[in-house]
Amino acid sequence: MSPDGIADAYNDSSVLFRVLGAVGWGDLVNVGYLTWPTLPLAIGGLGRFQRRLVRRSLGLLEAQPGEVVLDACCGRGLTTAWLARQGCQALGVDIQPEQIAEAGARFGQQPGARFAVADVTAPPPSAAEIDLSDGALDRIHCLEAAFHFGPAGRRAFLTQAHRLLRPGGRLVLVDFTWREADPSTIETLDPDRLVRDTWHFEQFEPLNRYLSTAVATGFTVRAVHDWTPHALAHYGRVAPVLRRILSTRAGRWAARRYRPALAGLTEADWRQLIRIMDAHLTGLVAPCRYTALVLDKPA
């Protein structure tokens, strides 16, 4: 995945991202972590659920003050800053220079936080004066980014993560995983590429292949957490309701009243949004899991 390709996946060129931006996406770009008791709070925006997902992911990392932590694909830097506030030496890297520039502008003064442009599938010897030689890192965190890498890129990332970690170090990798063994079945489920072109990827990794590659690389699989009920299943229940609402003139009027930033959407935009929502139900929500892998490098 090139920097330009990923950048195109997270800007206003897609009506979906314009809508998501209007309902709370900003500091973070992830699906969030929802539960039934907290679902009504979604009316206030999605940000709280995205931050909750980060907290759960970082909880699995169990980073300790003083440890050197790589925040792989850090985006706008909020997660890296959180790690630094916990007392870690946190290095946030991303392949997009624009993201790193924003991360540095927002959090570059945070003690312990550093940012650099780098490809985590082929990291440089050092970045932002942090050593990236063999065994230099204590922890690596990668939240909802590796699906962009492609199969070869994911294998390379696991190999590099194992090399970079000290014995006893930990990688927490949270990603979409394909339920079937053959990830090419997405071509049938997403025939118009509305899911793949929105997010700029080709295939999701089957969970069993993720695990077998991790073990072959040398990791011990410490835990596998299925967060599908909290990250995807709620959307599968809510999206059809939203689709029915947004298919009506009254529903679109209400949406504009609820979020004035949506006022600029044209009728063509609304129709395209509904097409994308339908495609995500069949090409993402139904055939995918959302999985948190805790992978330890043996001591």
Side-chain angles (χ1 to χ4, degrees), residues 11-188:
N11 62 32
D12 287 349
S13 64
S14 168
V15 64
L16 177 63
F17 285 95
R18 278 182 274 164
V19 172
L20 289 173
V23 296
W25 277 32
D27 284 344
L28 296 165
V29 182
N30 63 53
V31 296
Y33 189 99
L34 294 83
T35 57
W36 278 115
T38 60
L39 191 58
L41 298 175
I43 195 169
L46 300 177
R48 72 179 69 240
F49 302 109
Q50 294 177 300
R51 292 189 291 274
R52 186 176 187 185
L53 177 64
V54 170
R55 286 194 294 270
R56 294 190 70 91
S57 182
L58 292 181
L60 297 178
L61 195 66
E62 297 182 348
Q64 302 301 310
E67 289 188 330
V68 183
V69 183
L70 174 65
D71 188 18
C73 307
C74 67
R76 297 161 185 166
L78 181 61
T79 305
T80 310
W82 282 13
L83 286 164
R85 291 189 199 110
Q86 294 173 12
C88 299
Q89 291 296 311
L91 170 62
V93 303
D94 200 284
I95 200 170
Q96 298 182 65
E98 297 83 4
Q99 296 280 59
I100 290 300
E102 184 171 348
R106 299 176 67 204
F107 302 112
Q109 301 305 311
Q110 170 70 48
R114 301 185 186 186
F115 300 96
V117 178
D119 180 353
V120 295
T121 69
S126 65
E129 301 181 347
I130 298 292
D131 180 25
L132 295 179
S133 61
D134 296 3
L137 303 179
D138 297 292
R139 311 278 166 169
I140 299 175
H141 179 253
C142 185
L143 174 59
E144 200 178 305
F147 71 95
H148 287 300
F149 299 169
R154 287 186 284 271
R155 288 194 298 272
F157 173 63
L158 287 169
T159 298
Q160 291 296 326
H162 188 271
R163 177 186 69 80
L164 289 167
L165 286 168
R166 63 166 172 79
R170 171 170 292 182
L171 164 65
V172 170
L173 173 59
V174 182
D175 202 11
F176 300 98
T177 56
W178 200 244
R179 291 182 182 272
E180 298 183 15
D182 180 6
S184 69
T185 52
I186 195 172
E187 296 172 12
T188 301

Side-chain angles (χ1 to χ4, degrees), residues 205-245:
E205 193 77 4
L207 177 57
N208 287 343
R209 194 166 75 188
Y210 245 143
L211 297 175
S212 63
T213 302
V215 171
T217 301
F219 282 107
T220 296
V221 180
R222 181 62 55 197
V224 178
H225 298 277
D226 183 5
W227 288 348
T228 311
H230 306 290
L232 290 179
H234 283 305
Y235 291 104
R237 299 183 183 100
V238 171
V241 177
L242 289 176
R243 185 200 189 284
R244 287 194 293 271
I245 292 172

